[in-house]
């Protein structure tokens, strides 16, 4: 048997699932290829649409969301410093900002050198200022690890926590599949807790306690607790009271609280985002200084959407010095995260200030992007809720809708008879009929017997009404088939 | 017990070692800090040098090696496409090249969008052309996975291979500690084979067979075989005959051959670099189509040295379709490698061509960098060989010298009595006395009872003679102490 034969592959790798780029996307790529090949060969398009609209993933710039101009201008100057001498192209404040970044990297090669394993010190200081402005008091740069997006940080922390099948981490259901995938790869146990769809996806603390007790009784040693706030795929924004309950729960059971806060600047309702760190700092001393809290951030989301840059950070609260040295060692094996991504982290944490030459354009771009996202979120949720058999909580935050589809029993039975997941087949049908690619709810875990899909509300604004209409039409026709 | 308490941390994480950024570097950072603080406070410098010369790592641009101008010019245009309209700043061929990259990313956001999980298709095609020019026939873009540097690819492959303590991978000793660290983190078994220092670090095939048999008898299931060619830390370049022996060995035992070929453009002697792929393609059919071979490449080395960009790729030969789908799934969990790093991979694989406006400068920069590296390699090796008690094979390839130090027995005994590694203490002494930071041989594994260190020969050329002189002086004084 060879090393890569199926029976020889790490079973934890085999068990890993990641639907966001799974069957639906592979099929979508295949359809796009068929359309292109047909057109090239002068044959008719085999599908009733020109190309697939990818709503499977929060990838805004792929959907024509423009990058922030100041970010790109500064990157271009840092990459090629002779551009610093072109005030006719670049605003003066950005030239100055770029110069501080060049200096912070510590060498003429700027982003060409490996940085400190935790990230460029000057960039980590900007992260601290950003957190300080948000929370009212700032952490130390020693608390900040700049990473290749949030994902690598989350994987690292889970790798430190999980070394045995009995070790568990509590995960909200529905969840973002990075969590289930990472636990599977590491061979640990996913301890689910449920969000309550009927209460706008609030954390069901009863479910939290129940599941913790159930798994603990079965012998699972629970080590961590993941919260995604704002929620992915579910879009809820936690209230401060709910956060306090979660903090108390984790503190009492000595769980590390992993706060995925990457959507903190995507807020679409009246409930403001509050960081777990800020809430923790209001709690009594033993909790404030006792809870191990790690918060994750990414430059891929918000209004910046620089997904391809793979920039992010995690920030430590109450993690002991020994564990920190272990984290340092582990990130050192990979030397450092990509330095352009690090630079984008700095830029997002340190945008143009009022009075700067570049400020008006920055403000305009930010407002346009956030305004457009909010309009699209509402338009699509409304459209879905107009469909019989679909109910969709509004997105209070993040970039996704997660509608529930009441699939006809006959269709469900047909799918199950063929060992197919009903929501996956529904989504595949939608893809083939109208060219809209979403991810079935089964890829995120969902309460048994319920069916959903996740849709990123990112199609360009001039297409979004058409997408909504075609989804409604598809759904109604689909349901009629089974009446 | 809290999740991050020492007793609660994954023991495989605790067992992971990575000396390249270990004790010596932490100490060096501390010294630099002390010097800066003293000078700031108007106190005398507590050390007899101004700052540490970091020779612990192959990080050329940190040591003032300039980036290639064409790489940075194109990155700046792709980041901020309005720069494409500035022919007064950028050569025409580079503007055209940048436009093809913008187009290849498939969106106006260029590097701001997540790409295909395996990397941008257009960039992978350029990698294939590069490999084709090198080997005489080219692979398919489906064989290429663009990664965040070579390290992430190596870790991924090892993760697929290793799922049990009994699973082993053969590693050359001395080795680059990414390999030992990754095996430790994954909880597998490192099966060592030895390079023969007396034969310019040639692969000792007898040791290979012996160690394979020894570990197999003990119950280890060997799955992979790592070759680092040119060698790190040892600098040898394999002959084609030696490569054929290794291929036959792996083929017969069904081992996946992992060829770390990241230094393929750092060649300092008459033995040319030949890729394992090229050699494999000359072998009889069952071997040619039977050996599972994966080759790793990085933009961090060569004459480009873009370490901070974290760009690299791996290329598959004879890996079955099922395993490929598993690799696709695993890289998808992280969405994609950073797209600027991907772009640098494309640029390194597709440099300016003769006749292009940008070609003369590219050629000049490349020749200057490679010439300087070769001069420094020779100067430092000669200097070390002039010291009594040091013998150093010349670097035929890569970026390091790995001198053997015959440490006085009295010193060795003193160190061992204090449970210290003698080579580590020697290197710490050198750091404190002359401010040169190298990595002790124990961090790379070495034959028991021998002592070495690894030195990257990257100090700027105007400093290298001074570094060599100070190292000689330090060593001679050190030896005198123990006479």
């Amino acid at each position: 048997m060879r090393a890569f034969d199926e029976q020889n592959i790490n079973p934890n790798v085999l068990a890993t699932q990641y639907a966001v780029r799974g069957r639906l996307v592979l099929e979508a790529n295949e359809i796009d290829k068929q359309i292109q090949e047909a057109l090239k060969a002068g044959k008719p398009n085999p599908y009733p649409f020109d190309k697939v609209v990818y709503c499977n993933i929060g990838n805004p710039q792929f959907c024509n969301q423009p990058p922030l101009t100041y970010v790109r201008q500064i990157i271009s100057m840092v990459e090629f410093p002779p551009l610093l001498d072109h005030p006719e192209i670049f605003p003066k404040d950005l030239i100055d900002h770029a110069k501080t970044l060049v200096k912070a990297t510590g060498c003429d090669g700027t982003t060409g050198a490996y940085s400190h394993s935790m990230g460029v010190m000057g960039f980590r200081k900007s992260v601290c200022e950003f957190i300080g402005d948000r929370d009212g008091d700032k952490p130390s740069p020693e608390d900040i690890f700049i990473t290749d997006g949030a994902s690598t940080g989350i994987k690292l922390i889970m790798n430190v926590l999980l070394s045995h099948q009995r070790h568990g981490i509590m995960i909200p259901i529905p969840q973002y599949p990075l969590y289930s995938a990472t636990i599977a790869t590491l061979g640990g146990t996913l301890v689910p807790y449920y969000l309550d769809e009927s209460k706008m996806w609030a954390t069901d603390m009863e479910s939290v306690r129940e599941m913790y007790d159930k798994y603990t009784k079965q012998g699972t040693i629970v080590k961590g607790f993941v919260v995604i706030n704002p929620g992915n795929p579910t879009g809820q924004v936690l209230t401060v009271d709910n956060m306090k309950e979660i903090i108390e729960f984790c503190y009492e059971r000595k769980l590390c609280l992993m706060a995925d806060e990457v959507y903190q600047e995507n807020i679409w309702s009246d409930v403001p985002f509050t960081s777990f760190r800020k809430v923790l700092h209001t709690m009594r001393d033993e909790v404030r200084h006792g809870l191990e809290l790690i918060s994750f951030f990414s430059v891929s989301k918000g209004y910046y959407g620089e997904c391809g840059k793979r920039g992010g950070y995690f920030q430590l609260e109450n993690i002991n010095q020994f564990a920190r040295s272990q984290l340092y060692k582990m990130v050192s094996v990979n030397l450092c995260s990509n330095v352009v991504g690090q630079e984008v982290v700095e830029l997002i944490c340190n945008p143009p200030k009022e009075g700067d030459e570049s400020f008006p354009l920055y403000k305009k771009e930010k407002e346009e992007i956030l305004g457009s996202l909010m309009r699209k979120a509402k338009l699509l949720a409304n459209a879905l809720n107009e469909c019989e058999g679909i109910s969709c909580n509004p997105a209070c935050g993040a970039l996704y809708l997660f509608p529930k589809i009441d699939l006809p029993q006959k269709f469900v039975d047909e799918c199950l008879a063929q060992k197919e997941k009903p929501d996956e087949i529904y989504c595949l049908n939608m893809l083939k009929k109208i060219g809209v690619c979403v991810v079935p709810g089964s890829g995120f875990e969902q309460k048994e017997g319920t069916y959903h899909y996740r849709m990123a509300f990112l199609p360009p604004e001039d297409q979004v009404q058409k997408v909504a209409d075609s989804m409604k039409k598809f759904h109604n026709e689909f349901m009629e088939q089974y009446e």
Side-chain angles (χ1 to χ4, degrees), chain A:
Chain A
M1 195 162 55
R2 297 194 301 176
F4 279 95
D5 285 346
E6 182 168 350
Q7 305 90 316
N8 223 347
I9 288 177
N10 184 344
N12 290 340
V13 167
L14 296 179
T16 302
Q17 299 293 338
Y18 191 72
V20 173
R21 287 210 163 162
R23 180 172 176 190
L24 265 287
V25 184
L26 294 170
E27 187 72 32
N29 293 341
E30 187 53 39
I31 289 174
D32 269 340
K33 208 170 126 193
Q34 285 172 18
I35 294 175
Q36 276 171 31
E37 281 171 5
L39 296 180
K40 248 190 205 164
K43 290 183 187 159
N45 180 347
Y47 293 92
F49 47 86
D50 294 336
K51 58 179 189 169
V52 172
V53 180
Y54 287 90
C55 301
N56 58 302
I57 190 170
N59 193 8
Q61 294 194 25
F62 191 74
C63 303
N64 299 356
Q65 179 180 306
L68 295 170
T69 301
Y70 86 92
V71 169
R72 298 306 190 87
Q73 287 184 321
I74 290 181
I75 295 177
S76 68
M77 286 186 271
V78 174
E79 285 305 307
F80 187 55
L83 292 174
L84 292 165
D85 300 326
H86 285 271
E88 79 287 5
I89 303 179
F90 301 104
K92 173 144 187 340
D93 61 304
L94 298 186
I95 292 176
D96 291 343
H97 193 160
K99 283 179 183 168
T100 67
L101 298 190
V102 170
K103 203 174 159 207
T105 62
C107 63
D108 296 342
T110 66
T111 62
Y114 295 126
S115 73
H116 188 283
S117 308
M118 291 164 67
V120 174
M121 175 53 92
F123 299 178
R124 284 187 277 145
K125 285 182 179 162
S126 295
V127 172
C128 293
E129 296 297 328
F130 168 77
I131 295 174
D133 288 346
R134 185 193 68 190
D135 292 348
D137 65 323
K138 66 181 186 189
S140 147
E142 298 305 318
D143 302 332
I144 311 293
F145 284 70
I146 302 184
T147 50
D148 285 311
S151 306
T152 47
I154 289 164
K155 287 179 175 183
L156 169 63
I157 297 302
M158 288 199 165
N159 198 2
V160 173
L161 295 179
L162 301 176
S163 53
H164 196 284
Q165 210 188 327
R166 279 209 322 273
H167 294 159
I169 295 189
M170 298 194 76
I171 306 287
I173 302 299
Q175 53 113 25
Y176 175 56
L178 167 66
Y179 294 100
S180 51
T182 304
I183 293 173
T185 304
L186 293 168
T189 295
L190 188 159
V191 180
Y193 68 90
Y194 291 90
L195 307 179
D196 188 343
E197 185 161 14
S198 70
K199 293 183 184 156
M200 301 275 274
W201 298 112
T203 308
D204 179 351
M205 288 308 293
E206 203 165 311
S207 153
V208 167
R209 285 185 204 98
E210 188 189 315
M211 297 309 278
Y212 177 87
D213 292 342
K214 180 178 158 190
Y215 276 75
T216 303
K217 261 184 212 147
Q218 289 169 4
T220 299
I221 301 162
V222 183
K223 296 199 164 188
F225 188 100
V226 170
V227 186
I228 313 175
N229 182 41
N232 175 7
T234 41
Q236 80 281 19
V237 178
L238 292 178
T239 63
V240 169
D241 283 346
N242 204 176
M243 294 168 76
K244 285 184 177 170
E245 287 181 293
I246 291 170
I247 288 174
E248 289 283 359
F249 177 86
C250 291
Y251 171 72
E252 279 164 29
R253 287 158 189 81
K254 297 189 163 49
L255 310 185
C256 168
L257 178 55
M258 299 173 65
D260 176 339
E261 298 178 320
V262 303
Y263 296 100
Q264 60 189 262
E265 304 197 66
N266 297 109
I267 300 296
W268 321 117
S269 82
D270 299 338
V271 183
F273 168 80
T274 313
S275 76
F276 268 98
R277 180 175 179 274
K278 189 170 182 178
V279 175
L280 179 65
H281 285 204
T282 67
M283 315 258 312
R284 63 191 192 282
D285 266 10
E286 70 252 41
V287 180
R288 174 174 178 161
H289 299 297
L291 179 78
E292 293 173 325
L293 168 66
I294 305 180
S295 166
F296 299 90
F297 182 84
S298 166
V299 302
S300 302
K301 310 304 172 187
Y303 50 93
Y304 16 94
E306 286 281 0
C307 298
K309 296 303 195 308
R310 312 309 286 119
Y313 71 76
F314 62 85
Q315 183 257 323
L316 305 176
E317 291 275 314
N318 299 325
I319 303 294
N320 69 76
Q321 198 49 51
F322 178 80
R324 285 164 185 258
S325 70
Q326 295 296 311
L327 292 172
Y328 168 79
K329 179 182 74 179
M330 294 303 283
V331 294
S332 292
V333 176
N334 221 28
L335 297 170
C336 65
S337 62
N338 87 83
V339 182
V340 178
Q342 292 187 33
E343 187 188 340
V344 179
V345 170
E346 200 283 341
L347 294 172
I348 297 310
C349 290
N350 186 15
K353 305 285 178 289
E354 193 137 19
D356 288 346
E357 187 184 338
S358 64
F359 182 78
L361 178 61
Y362 156 69
K363 185 164 176 275
K364 180 168 166 280
E365 289 175 338
K366 176 177 172 176
E367 285 171 357
E368 277 179 7
I369 290 167
L370 289 173
S372 169
L373 287 170
M374 192 186 294
R375 285 190 298 275
K376 292 190 281 194
K378 301 210 157 144
L379 185 152
L380 285 166
N382 288 342
L384 290 169
N385 278 319
E386 283 167 17
C387 296
E388 213 175 301
I390 295 186
S391 61
C392 183
N393 278 325
C396 300
L399 299 175
Y400 314 100
L401 296 170
F402 198 64
K404 181 153 80 98
I405 343 164
D406 294 321
L407 293 171
Q409 193 57 43
K410 184 155 169 265
F411 171 75
V412 170
D413 292 342
E414 276 173 24
C415 292
L416 297 179
Q418 289 169 55
K419 304 215 157 121
E420 295 280 11
K421 295 170 184 157
D423 50 6
E424 189 163 287
I425 301 301
Y426 175 90
C427 294
L428 273 172
N429 270 321
M430 181 156 79
L431 171 64
K432 286 177 190 165
K433 282 273 165 67
I434 62 167
V436 174
C437 181
V438 298
V439 186
S442 47
F444 303 87
E445 314 283 331
Q446 55 196 346
K447 229 171 209 165
E448 216 178 303
T450 68
Y451 301 105
H452 300 78
Y453 58 79
R454 187 186 82 164
M455 176 183 198
F457 45 78
L458 294 169
E461 216 158 355
D462 58 353
Q463 295 172 31
V464 71
Q465 186 64 55
K466 201 180 138 210
V467 168
D469 292 343
S470 71
M471 288 177 81
K472 267 161 55 173
K473 186 161 170 280
F474 161 77
H475 180 77
N476 292 336
E477 288 177 6
F478 174 84
M479 295 300 272
E480 274 165 25
Q481 265 184 278
Y482 286 91
E483 254 174 19

